[in-house]
Amino acid sequence: MTQEAPTFSPLYRQIKALILQALEAGEWRPGQAIPSEQELASRFSVSQGTVRKAIDEMAAENLLVRKQGKGTFVASHNDPRALFRFLRLAPIDGDLSPPQSVPLDCWRAKAGQEASRMLGIELGAPIIIVRRLLKFTTKPVVIDELYLPGEIFQGLTAETLKGWNGSLYSLFETRFGLRMIRAQERIRAVAADRGASEALKVAEGTPLLSVERVTYTYGDKPVEWRRGLYSTADHFYLNELN
């Protein structure tokens, strides 16, 4: 029997993992400055160059934000620049004004097989389902349905959603201490049914984008499963590949 050779992680990746552990534990909150490279190098007994390489990679992944002359900060969904990181729909006319999130419903349920699988929770576990419209300059463009683990989002109500002035992810971060790190999406073309036609004010049969997303927090833990329908009459889906 052949024994697999052990795998080794570069030192800067080990430091990155330690910084991530500190972020997950809440040692530094979103929007807060992390210690200097010199302080982190002393803490982890490595060179500043090793720390810098770890931070560079985390900044490239939008986990940290470097601010010239101020230091390095934990990325936050409250930063206006973060709005279009997860919202990839861009107006054809180039106007990137923040959209308006309009809550429609918020109710509690039990996870079915699909929600259980997508969120990595037990069948029948409590979940919260949110339906909302996203409007650009008063025009409905996206209808979303979100499935959220009830254990994490205890206290989320329709009143909370209606009273929040900002993005959903900034609400999740501020009220529930939840930072969305990455997302995986599946996109396909569909025709508008009657419900989508009424919500988005388009004719039945109009081509729409169906966007299904699973969003993850630290530790690669899924914390949101979202299904949305996008009207692309005046918008396009923007994705940068590098």
Side-chain angles (χ1 to χ4, degrees):
M1 180 178 179
T2 304
Q3 186 174 5
E4 289 187 7
T7 57
F8 297 97
S9 175
L11 184 56
Y12 82 91
R13 286 279 172 85
Q14 297 176 42
I15 301 306
K16 176 185 174 183
L18 292 172
I19 296 174
L20 277 170
Q21 287 176 17
L23 291 173
E24 187 174 0
E27 185 171 343
W28 311 302
R29 306 298 298 168
Q32 182 181 353
I34 68 170
S36 68
E37 291 177 2
Q38 184 176 357
E39 291 171 311
L40 289 172
S42 176
R43 169 173 171 168
F44 298 128
S45 301
V46 295
S47 70
Q48 280 185 239
T50 298
V51 171
R52 186 175 302 117
K53 195 168 183 179
I55 290 176
D56 284 344
E57 191 165 285
M58 295 178 72
E61 294 172 356
N62 297 299
L63 298 170
L64 299 174
V65 177
R66 291 188 183 277
K67 296 184 180 179
Q68 188 67 33
K70 295 182 178 180
T72 302
F73 295 76
V74 182
S76 170
H77 292 297
N78 289 315
D79 187 337
R81 293 171 297 181
L83 177 62
F84 288 94
R85 181 185 166 201
F86 288 99
L87 177 62
R88 312 301 293 184
L89 205 63
I92 292 172
D93 63 11
D95 179 12
L96 293 179
S97 301
Q100 178 192 8
S101 179
V102 182
L104 301 176
D105 295 298
C106 178
W107 71 96
R108 282 156 180 73
K110 293 183 179 180
Q113 288 189 348
E114 200 168 7
S116 167
R117 178 171 57 86
M118 292 295 189
L119 293 172
I121 57 179
E122 292 185 2
L123 187 66
I127 58 172
I128 294 176
I129 303 175
V130 173
R131 290 184 72 250
R132 68 92 181 253
L133 269 178
L134 207 56
K135 292 185 175 182
F136 288 77
T137 58
T138 73
K139 182 178 180 179
V141 176
V142 178
I143 177 79
D144 271 328
E145 192 164 88
L146 290 68
Y147 299 78
L148 308 166
E151 184 178 343
I152 296 175
F153 289 91
Q154 290 182 37
L156 180 63
T157 64
E159 289 70 29
T160 304
L161 292 165
K162 289 174 182 175
W164 182 257
N165 183 25
S167 72
L168 280 178
Y169 284 177
S170 67
L171 169 64
F172 295 167
E173 177 181 287
T174 303
R175 295 288 179 87
F176 301 96
L178 197 65
R179 170 102 186 123
M180 304 305 202
I181 300 302
R182 72 174 187 91
Q184 184 178 68
E185 291 186 335
R186 295 189 296 183
I187 303 174
R188 61 191 179 93
V190 298
D193 60 15
R194 179 177 295 180
S197 151
E198 293 174 354
L200 297 175
K201 303 194 181 321
V202 297
E204 283 191 51
T206 297
L208 303 173
L209 281 184
S210 167
V211 181
E212 183 176 352
R213 174 193 300 172
V214 178
T215 316
Y216 301 81
T217 189
Y218 295 114
D220 228 22
K221 180 179 180 180
V223 286
E224 177 203 43
W225 172 40
R226 176 186 301 213
R227 297 189 295 189
L229 293 173
Y230 292 36
S231 171
T232 57
D234 300 309
H235 296 76
F236 58 88
Y237 193 92
L238 176 66
N239 197 14
E240 295 181 10
L241 305 176
N242 51 35

